[in-house]
Amino acid sequence: MSRSDLAGKAAPPKIARPVPLRERVFEALLELIIDGHLRPGQHLAESELAEMLGVSRQPIREALQLLSGEGWVDLHPGHGAFVHAPTAEEADQLLAVRALLETEAARLAARNHTDEGVARLRALCSRGLAAVEADDIDGAVTVNSELHATVMELSGNAVLSDLAAQVSRRVRWYHTPVARQRGRASWEEHTALIDAIAEGDADRAGEIMKDHTEHTRHLYLSRLGEEEPSEPLPSKRRKRRAPASLGN
Amino acid sequence: MSRSDLAGKAAPPKIARPVPLRERVFEALLELIIDGHLRPGQHLAESELAEMLGVSRQPIREALQLLSGEGWVDLHPGHGAFVHAPTAEEADQLLAVRALLETEAARLAARNHTDEGVARLRALCSRGLAAVEADDIDGAVTVNSELHATVMELSGNAVLSDLAAQVSRRVRWYHTPVARQRGRASWEEHTALIDAIAEGDADRAGEIMKDHTEHTRHLYLSRLGEEEPSEPLPSKRRKRRAPASLGN
DNA sequence: AGACTGTATGCTGTAGGCAGTTGACGAAAA
DNA sequence: TTTTCGTCAACTGCCTACAGCATACAGTCT
């Protein structure tokens, strides 16, 4: 039976699903935000974006709401969307939460480790080291994300994985410039992490991951201190409110 | 000057901002889902909902996307929205993540504790105990949520708080029936937790919160085992695919 | 001159409508 | 009887249009 053969074989690469327009708009706007073309605090008029991207307002609206859900833009009812203005305090909190989630994931991954999973991790680690040797920063960052995502997957907790994915995406906003400085050291820590996971040593894996993420966190904070000496400590909690009327 | 008088006085209760329709639709649909009027796996046709609620399709769409973002419905491009079918495995993972986030929040809250914050916690605890004594389950659940939310707030990490809020809302889907059984014990643990926070003992606060959340988690799992003896262990990972599998 | 009010403009929120696609049912052929 | 193809209905995705509100400006009155 030709039919059952097809049904039995295919499926994995969920073939040919035309990507909804709202998601392409989402990606486009996200890139514009990360690139800095749309600057923090800037008001995003739907009509304007619609004309700019050559689509109607509807997909724009939906994309903006997706972006709002992930914290990239702030939605003020009746006033529209504004590019989220990340504060030093928020970045710190984000990195702290990431550390927490990743640590737990490493612990769980060590507990549920499989040969196949460890092999995938080692493969990614090799690729990452190669990228660093070749001075390919973007590649290294990408592989780094994949590796952390894989650890998440191996944790076996899908909910944890989803949450961490959200957080990681936001973290990558600040992460790229830091990656250069971390360089090799980061990947040596990865190797140690994988060893711990392979041995099923949950506590050690968690500890390594915690140190690993805290390293990047502190590196980020120190970098920030150099660049913006005016606000070295995340103390001021200035809520940026865009329209005047919402002010008080 | 009459003007400055007015400006100086009012403001606190952010007067009369007409709630966007999509949010009211969101609430309405959420209630329908939790109530069980919309059953897991059910297909949600936009036109149908629009007519049912007496609004246009647009706010329905936006509400569905909000619901999707929080995991209440699954959105399949080209096929529409389906009420999410929670599995035992997912519930367990959700409760595990909640435990993780709450534990960290308790630790941070203890570190940043203030007299004012502790006072608020104690007030909530009293209200909760009163509700339990009066056999007011719904009230107890509400106060319980407020208390946990307050601990989150006192942690000082807004990102952590947002994530936990998401998770908690989903947890409450299963939580209500369990609350009855937890009863008094839960609130005694709360009291101990607040004491630890008041003393600034981060480790103890974290430990208590961990035990506290794990208690409810295990209670939920054991309850589940009684009701659905066919699936006592969260082992089967059956990925439910909406369009095709609606047949079975 | 300063403050207040009326008007105008731009935006968001919502509605309605059209085209493309998907899935199902039924009819015809093997 | 089973398989396959054609037709049809329903729904989603997207676009356009309108109403309500907020803000900004200008004119007028004190």
Side-chain angles (χ1 to χ4, degrees):
Chain A
M1 300 160 195
S2 62
R3 191 125 168 273
S4 57
D5 283 349
L6 279 173
K9 259 192 291 187
K14 290 184 183 172
I15 27 108
R17 191 154 276 306
V19 181
L21 197 50
R22 70 180 107 101
E23 292 189 11
R24 293 176 48 188
V25 172
F26 174 90
E27 302 284 351
L29 292 180
L30 189 53
E31 192 163 346
L32 287 175
I33 291 176
I34 296 180
D35 283 8
H37 284 85
L38 301 177
R39 272 182 288 188
Q42 179 176 347
H43 174 64
L44 300 178
E46 295 174 359
S47 328
E48 208 171 327
L49 297 177
E51 193 180 9
M52 182 188 307
L53 298 181
V55 298
S56 139
R57 275 180 53 207
Q58 171 106 358
I60 298 284
R61 279 180 72 84
E62 298 182 352
L64 286 176
Q65 291 179 21
L66 285 179
L67 288 167
S68 163
E70 295 202 1
W72 294 102
V73 307
D74 299 320
L75 237 44
H76 297 262
H79 296 120
F82 299 81
V83 179
H84 180 70
T87 64
E89 179 183 14
E90 186 186 340
D92 184 45
Q93 295 180 352
L94 215 43
L95 289 165
V97 171
R98 188 180 83 122
L100 180 68
L101 298 178
E102 297 272 5
T103 300
E104 182 68 7
R107 198 171 279 141
L108 292 174
R111 196 163 295 158
N112 308 341
H113 74 285
T114 62
D115 292 345
E116 183 267 345
V118 172
R120 280 165 59 198
L121 289 177
R122 291 205 192 280
L124 282 169
C125 205
S126 304
R127 282 177 51 199
L129 268 169
V132 169
E133 297 296 341
D135 217 43
D136 174 10
I137 302 296
D138 281 343
V141 171
T142 304
V143 177
N144 180 67
S145 296
E146 287 180 28
L147 192 144
H148 282 259
T150 304
V151 173
M152 273 295 161
E153 184 190 332
L154 295 180
S155 78
N157 188 324
V159 175
L160 181 66
S161 184
D162 283 350
L163 248 56
Q166 267 188 43
V167 173
S168 294
R169 245 186 303 190
R170 290 174 66 181
V171 165
R172 220 190 308 184
W173 201 352
Y174 330 98
H175 187 272
T176 309
V178 182
R180 186 181 301 274
Q181 298 188 356
R182 289 277 280 143
R184 266 198 85 82
S186 173
W187 291 94
E188 282 165 8
E189 289 165 18
H190 284 159
T191 306
L193 172 68
I194 297 174
D195 288 341
I197 291 177
E199 294 170 21
D201 188 339
D203 286 340
R204 188 154 62 91
E207 206 58 39
I208 293 173
M209 182 62 101
K210 186 174 178 180
D211 291 344
H212 176 65
T213 48
E214 290 289 346
H215 276 169
T216 63
R217 178 180 168 201
H218 288 130
L219 184 56
Y220 173 75
L221 289 178
S222 64
R223 261 183 66 88
L224 200 79
E226 296 167 11
E227 291 177 3
E228 293 179 283
S230 61
E231 199 169 355
L233 291 175
S235 52
K236 278 190 187 175
R237 175 180 284 222
R238 192 187 321 159
K239 204 75 176 179
R240 199 166 311 212
R241 230 172 298 248
S245 71
L246 287 180
N248 313 352
Chain B
M1 298 172 189
S2 61
R3 188 125 167 275
S4 59
D5 283 351
L6 278 174
K9 261 191 289 188
K14 288 184 185 174
I15 29 108
R17 186 153 281 303
V19 181
L21 198 47
R22 66 180 148 204
E23 292 190 11
R24 294 175 48 187
V25 172
F26 174 90
E27 302 284 350
L29 291 180
L30 189 53
E31 192 162 348
L32 287 175
I33 290 176
I34 296 180
D35 284 7
H37 284 85
L38 301 177
R39 272 181 289 186
Q42 179 176 347
H43 175 61
L44 300 177
E46 295 174 358
S47 327
E48 208 171 326
L49 296 177
E51 192 180 9
M52 182 188 306
L53 298 180
V55 298
S56 139
R57 273 179 55 208
Q58 173 99 0
I60 299 284
R61 280 179 71 84
E62 299 182 352
L64 287 176
Q65 292 179 20
L66 285 179
L67 288 167
S68 164
E70 295 202 2
W72 295 101
V73 307
D74 299 320
L75 236 43
H76 296 260
H79 297 122
F82 299 80
V83 179
H84 180 71
T87 65
E89 179 184 14
E90 185 186 339
D92 183 45
Q93 295 180 352
L94 216 42
L95 289 165
V97 171
R98 188 180 82 122
L100 179 67
L101 298 179
E102 298 271 4
T103 300
E104 180 68 5
R107 200 171 278 142
L108 292 174
R111 197 164 292 159
N112 309 340
H113 74 284
T114 63
D115 291 347
E116 183 267 345
V118 172
R120 280 166 58 199
L121 289 177
R122 290 205 193 281
L124 281 169
C125 204
S126 305
R127 282 177 49 200
L129 268 169
V132 168
E133 297 295 341
D135 216 43
D136 175 9
I137 301 296
D138 281 343
V141 171
T142 303
V143 177
N144 180 66
S145 296
E146 287 179 28
L147 192 143
H148 282 258
T150 304
V151 173
M152 272 295 161
E153 184 190 332
L154 295 181
S155 77
N157 188 325
V159 175
L160 181 67
S161 184
D162 283 349
L163 248 56
Q166 267 189 44
V167 174
S168 294
R169 245 186 302 191
R170 289 174 67 181
V171 166
R172 220 189 309 183
W173 201 352
Y174 331 96
H175 187 272
T176 309
V178 180
R180 186 181 302 274
Q181 297 188 357
R182 291 276 280 143
R184 266 199 86 83
S186 173
W187 291 94
E188 283 166 6
E189 290 165 17
H190 284 158
T191 306
L193 172 67
I194 297 173
D195 288 341
I197 291 176
E199 294 170 21
D201 188 339
D203 287 339
R204 187 153 65 90
E207 206 58 37
I208 294 173
M209 182 61 101
K210 186 174 178 179
D211 291 344
H212 176 65
T213 49
E214 290 289 345
H215 276 170
T216 64
R217 179 180 168 200
H218 288 131
L219 184 57
Y220 172 75
L221 288 178
S222 63
R223 261 183 66 87
L224 201 79
E226 296 168 10
E227 292 178 1
E228 291 179 284
S230 61
E231 198 168 357
L233 291 174
S235 52
K236 278 189 188 175
R237 175 180 283 222
R238 192 185 322 159
K239 204 71 177 182
R240 200 163 311 211
R241 223 175 299 259
S245 71
L246 278 184
N248 0 352

